[in-house]
């Protein structure tokens, strides 16, 4: 009997994945996000979008591996994990203002709806609606690059991950 080898935890090297903007708005560097967990890259590298609408879309194609009203974990077919976190401190709302459009286990294509967010509810609670997209450090040793602070439409290239 041959020895079974566990699949590697890291995606294969030499690949690039384009991460698209999950929302219409202004692209900003993580360092500009008002939450140290994101701005100091404790959860991984990535970028953020200050949204101008509440439509939040999948930034990559893959499987939905986790769903909270304010946060969505996606895994691409080649094993890259991507976290989409809507707003700063929005967990405090306990789902109020969020209408998820996907369930855990669903397959999505880049551009498919993840959640509809009522930006007025966030504003009324004094919360920042910035949508953060990160590649968790426990998943990849890759590099996130190509961020250009600018106004973009949902689906435009936000960053590229090389690994």
């Amino acid at each position: 009997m041959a020895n079974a080898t566990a699949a590697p935890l890291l995606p294969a090297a030499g690949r690039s994945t384009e991460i698209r903007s999950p929302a219409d708005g202004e692209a900003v560097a993580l360092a500009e996000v008002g939450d140290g967990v994101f701005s100091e890259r404790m959860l991984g590298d990535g970028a953020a979008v200050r949204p101008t609408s509440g439509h939040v879309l999948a930034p990559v194609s893959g499987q939905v591996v986790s769903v909270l009203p304010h946060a969505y974990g996606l895994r691409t077919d080649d094993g890259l994990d991507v976290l989409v976190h809507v707003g700063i401190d929005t967990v405090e709302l306990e789902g109020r203002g969020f209408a998820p459009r996907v369930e855990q286990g669903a397959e999505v294509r880049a551009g498919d709806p993840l959640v509809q967010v009522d930006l007025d509810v966030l504003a009324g609670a004094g919360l920042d609606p910035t949508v953060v997209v990160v590649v968790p450090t426990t998943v990849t040793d890759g590099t996130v690059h190509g961020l250009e602070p600018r106004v973009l439409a949902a689906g435009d290239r936000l960053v590229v991950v090389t690994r």
Side-chain angles (χ1 to χ4, degrees):
M1 180 194 262
N3 288 342
T5 305
L9 295 176
L10 300 175
R15 295 184 182 167
S16 291
T17 302
E18 181 176 273
I19 296 180
R20 298 179 186 180
S21 178
D24 295 333
E26 179 188 0
V28 294
L30 282 184
E32 296 180 36
V33 172
D35 183 331
V37 171
F38 296 117
S39 65
E40 295 176 22
R41 293 177 172 78
M42 291 180 197
L43 292 179
D45 203 358
V49 177
R50 291 191 179 116
T52 55
S53 81
H55 304 287
V56 179
L57 310 178
V60 295
S61 296
Q63 182 179 35
V64 178
V65 295
S66 63
V67 173
L68 296 172
H70 68 285
Y72 298 81
L74 307 173
R75 181 168 296 134
T76 65
D77 289 341
D78 65 353
L80 182 70
D81 281 355
V82 176
L83 171 66
V84 179
H85 190 281
V86 183
I88 305 303
D89 296 327
T90 49
V91 68
E92 295 173 6
L93 294 174
E94 298 178 339
R96 199 172 81 252
F98 294 88
R101 300 294 190 232
V102 295
E103 294 181 357
Q104 185 172 342
E107 292 292 326
V108 294
R109 297 179 79 41
D112 286 351
L114 289 180
V115 62
Q116 178 65 42
V117 182
D118 186 334
L119 296 180
D120 291 336
V121 170
L122 275 63
L127 298 175
D128 179 344
T130 298
V131 180
V132 179
V133 181
V134 295
V135 177
T137 54
T138 57
V139 176
T140 182
D141 59 359
T143 302
V144 176
H145 56 90
L147 176 67
E148 300 167 21
R150 67 194 188 288
V151 173
L152 32 80
D156 288 351
R157 180 190 49 80
L158 181 60
V159 292
V160 175
V161 177
T162 56
R163 49 204 151 77

